[in-house]
Amino acid sequence: MTYLQFLAILPFIILAAAAIVVILLIAFKQSHTVIQVTGFIMMCGVVFAMWYVRDTLPRQVPPLLVVDGLAALFTGLIIFSVLVVGLLSYIYFEEREENPKEYYILLFLATLGSAVLTISRHFISLFIGLELLSVSLYALIAYLRNRNNAVEAGVKYLVLAALSSAFLLFGMALIYMETGSMEFSAIARAIDASGMSILFVMGIGLILVAIGFKLALVPFHLWAADVYQGAPAPVTAFIATVSKIGVFAVLIRFADAIHLQQNVLAVTIITIMAIACMLVGNILALMQQNVKRLLAYSSIAHFGYLLVAFLSGNAGVGAAVFYLVAYSITLLSAFGIITLLSTARRDADDLSGYRGLFWRSPLMAAIFTVALLSLAGIPLTAGFPAKFFILTTGVQQHRWLLVMVLVLTSVIGLFYYLRVISTLFASPPLTPVKERTLHPFFYVATYASLVVLMCLLGWLGVYPGFVVENVRAFLSF
């Protein structure tokens, strides 16, 4: 390994070191606050390292990794999301009887797995990153073991994730048998020379099944609502943002390498999945009285929208990245409110608990309202330009069926988002709601973070050009 290659992977080395540092802090019996602050500093170190090595990119670290602009974008978004999730985790676990210290080891390992996916150019690194992410999530989802629904959600995810890993490995084996390589670029050269055989197409299909499970795409979405509901609120935010960002990044890289969007059969299958995601996600969300389940089905629909940009190939990557930025900020805002309203006994996932929130806490209601409006794609929020760029990409590629379904299902989605917003401004319940008692510093920091996220949603909705230009600049190298 050369010095420049070492520099390129330095952010990921710091990220791996974060988990080791937390283990050492636990061994020396440090407090929850010390571990939280140390983890925050380590994540800031990852951001600084990524900025420091930007001039050395793109850089290949053969045969497994490549650190380029796409990896830098997705890794930056992952670390940004983890910083918010880490803050939410502190206030969430501070009032609970479970020891929260080991939680941060799992959180940083899962983050490392997701980050490794963004730089993968080989099946081995893809599988290592995916398993590091999945195995950590098994424990994170069931971390509150005294809750029956948490253990149930963890077991469901464990069984289905293991099954999806089997599909992934079988697909990799078929492709390796046909091409003699597990490196993305070498696979592309092999199929350019000899074409796609039946076994190769079957291998691609099996890999898409595994990735479809990780992204909760229809018909591999059945775990999503139960896991979102059963997992702790910060873990649900992590699943909805960090884990899916990493998987979507490696999907883009793999599809670009083998020119997946030029295969008619693959495009047809993914188009059907996109339409199914948009319809099923929005229709099932209509019937939900549980906020976390509603956001789970909403996320299925949103990744259906993302597939519209994905099917456009390189022309849609910029739109997809911007959509993920807006989507991540929006969901972190929404789950931040859920975390603040949660008690030691249960999460604030029942819609009736949000009745009259505006009269109890106007700031919380304002943040949650802006987040829901952004998810609905209302103008002056980040969701509007994000959805507009997706639509523009679909129109430019003449994918009229997908565009029409996207517009129709967005109207359906508007109904259940407005239903939640109307609940926030309804008359408050007669029974008083107990306020949470938090450490003053983290109380202020959490509220400040959520206000910043809300302002970001408004800024991206009014002036998306700055982010769009920077995304294009990163994608150019």
Side-chain angles (χ1 to χ4, degrees):
M1 179 183 291
T2 65
Y3 174 70
L4 290 178
Q5 288 174 336
F6 174 80
L7 274 184
I9 63 171
L10 179 62
F12 305 92
I13 295 173
I14 296 174
L15 185 53
I20 299 173
V21 170
V22 171
I23 293 173
L24 293 175
L25 290 175
I26 294 172
F28 287 102
K29 301 186 183 304
Q30 295 298 317
S31 67
H32 182 196
T33 303
V34 171
I35 293 173
Q36 163 69 25
V37 172
T38 304
F40 182 86
I41 293 172
M42 295 291 286
M43 292 303 104
C44 291
V46 175
V47 175
F48 175 77
M50 185 61 75
W51 179 258
Y52 178 73
V53 304
R54 70 190 186 282
D55 293 332
T56 67
L57 306 182
R59 184 70 52 186
Q60 294 195 9
V61 186
L64 301 180
L65 308 174
V66 56
V67 187
D68 55 8
L70 182 70
L73 273 175
F74 280 112
T75 303
L77 184 54
I78 286 170
I79 299 303
F80 169 79
S81 301
V82 170
L83 285 170
V84 179
V85 169
L87 181 59
L88 299 179
S89 299
Y90 179 87
I91 63 173
Y92 185 86
F93 284 101
E94 189 66 10
E95 292 185 347
R96 282 163 175 77
E97 66 277 7
E98 285 83 5
N99 188 346
K101 296 177 182 178
E102 289 79 7
Y103 168 88
Y104 293 96
I105 303 173
L106 297 167
L107 185 70
F108 293 146
L109 288 176
T111 304
L112 176 62
S114 187
V116 167
L117 288 175
T118 67
I119 57 176
S120 295
R121 58 186 286 254
H122 196 283
F123 280 155
I124 297 298
S125 54
L126 188 160
F127 185 73
I128 291 173
L130 200 61
E131 286 306 295
L132 190 56
L133 171 64
S134 298
V135 172
S136 302
L137 284 179
Y138 301 155
L140 286 172
I141 292 167
Y143 199 81
L144 297 178
R145 57 189 181 278
N146 293 328
R147 292 186 187 177
N148 291 332
N149 55 351
V151 176
E152 178 188 349
V155 171
K156 282 183 179 178
Y157 191 83
L158 169 65
V159 173
L160 293 175
L163 185 62
S164 73
S165 295
F167 277 100
L168 180 68
L169 286 172
F170 193 20
M172 290 177 177
L174 290 177
I175 292 176
Y176 179 71
M177 183 176 69
E178 284 298 298
T179 63
S181 177
M182 290 189 286
E183 187 181 348
F184 296 168
S185 57
I187 292 171
R189 290 192 296 269
I191 60 175
D192 287 341
S194 57
M196 292 188 180
S197 65
I198 297 297
L199 288 178
F200 183 87
V201 173
M202 288 176 60
I204 294 295
L206 292 171
I207 290 176
L208 287 178
V209 168
I211 291 178
F213 168 82
K214 299 298 181 183
L215 295 177
L217 304 178
V218 178
F220 315 108
H221 67 289
L222 298 178
W223 62 272
D226 291 334
V227 169
Y228 274 51
Q229 182 181 1
V235 176
T236 307
F238 183 91
I239 295 170
T241 54
V242 175
S243 69
K244 294 188 177 183
I245 291 169
V247 175
F248 197 77
V250 76
L251 175 62
I252 289 176
R253 194 181 297 281
F254 180 62
D256 179 59
I258 66 170
H259 310 296
L260 186 65
Q261 291 89 345
Q262 297 178 14
N263 183 278
V264 177
L265 178 60
V267 168
T268 303
I269 293 173
I270 296 173
T271 299
I272 294 171
M273 290 174 66
I275 293 172
C277 286
M278 290 186 276
L279 290 172
V280 172
N282 281 298
I283 291 172
L284 290 178
L286 285 173
M287 302 178 284
Q288 299 304 316
Q289 295 297 320
N290 185 293
V291 176
K292 288 169 77 175
R293 294 181 74 90
L294 184 148
L295 291 175
Y297 288 120
S298 168
S299 71
I300 295 170
H302 281 281
F303 272 85
Y305 305 151
L306 266 174
L307 288 181
V308 178
F310 170 75
L311 285 169
S312 302
N314 289 333
V317 173
V321 171
F322 184 87
Y323 197 93
L324 279 172
V325 171
Y327 172 79
S328 299
I329 296 173
T330 303
L331 276 190
L332 291 171
S333 303
F335 280 108
I337 298 301
I338 294 173
T339 301
L340 282 175
L341 292 176
S342 298
T343 63
R345 292 181 175 272
R346 59 171 297 167
D347 285 359
D349 52 3
D350 192 345
L351 184 57
S352 61
Y354 291 82
R355 185 176 182 83
L357 179 63
F358 175 76
W359 308 105
R360 306 197 307 266
S361 177
L363 181 59
M364 279 192 188
I367 295 169
F368 202 29
T369 299
V370 172
L372 292 169
L373 292 176
S374 181
L375 286 172
I378 300 299
L380 302 183
T381 62
F384 177 73
K387 199 166 286 186
F388 178 78
F389 294 147
I390 296 283
L391 274 172
T392 302
T393 303
V395 170
Q396 290 174 345
Q397 300 297 317
H398 306 293
R399 302 196 181 278
W400 303 111
L401 178 60
L402 288 171
V403 168
M404 288 189 292
V405 175
L406 193 158
V407 172
L408 174 64
T409 53
S410 295
V411 175
I412 297 173
L414 186 60
F415 173 80
Y416 58 80
Y417 292 128
L418 290 179
R419 179 162 59 88
V420 177
I421 292 172
S422 66
T423 304
L424 301 178
F425 292 88
S427 300
L430 296 177
T431 55
V433 179
K434 182 183 177 182
E435 296 293 333
R436 295 190 60 163
T437 56
L438 301 174
H439 188 284
F441 172 77
F442 286 96
Y443 183 85
V444 173
T446 303
Y447 266 93
S449 300
L450 292 177
V451 170
V452 169
L453 291 176
M454 180 180 67
C455 294
L456 281 175
L457 290 176
W459 177 63
L460 288 175
V462 175
Y463 184 64
F466 176 79
V467 174
V468 172
E469 291 170 3
N470 279 278
V471 167
R472 288 174 179 168
F474 271 97
L475 293 177
S476 64
F477 63 86

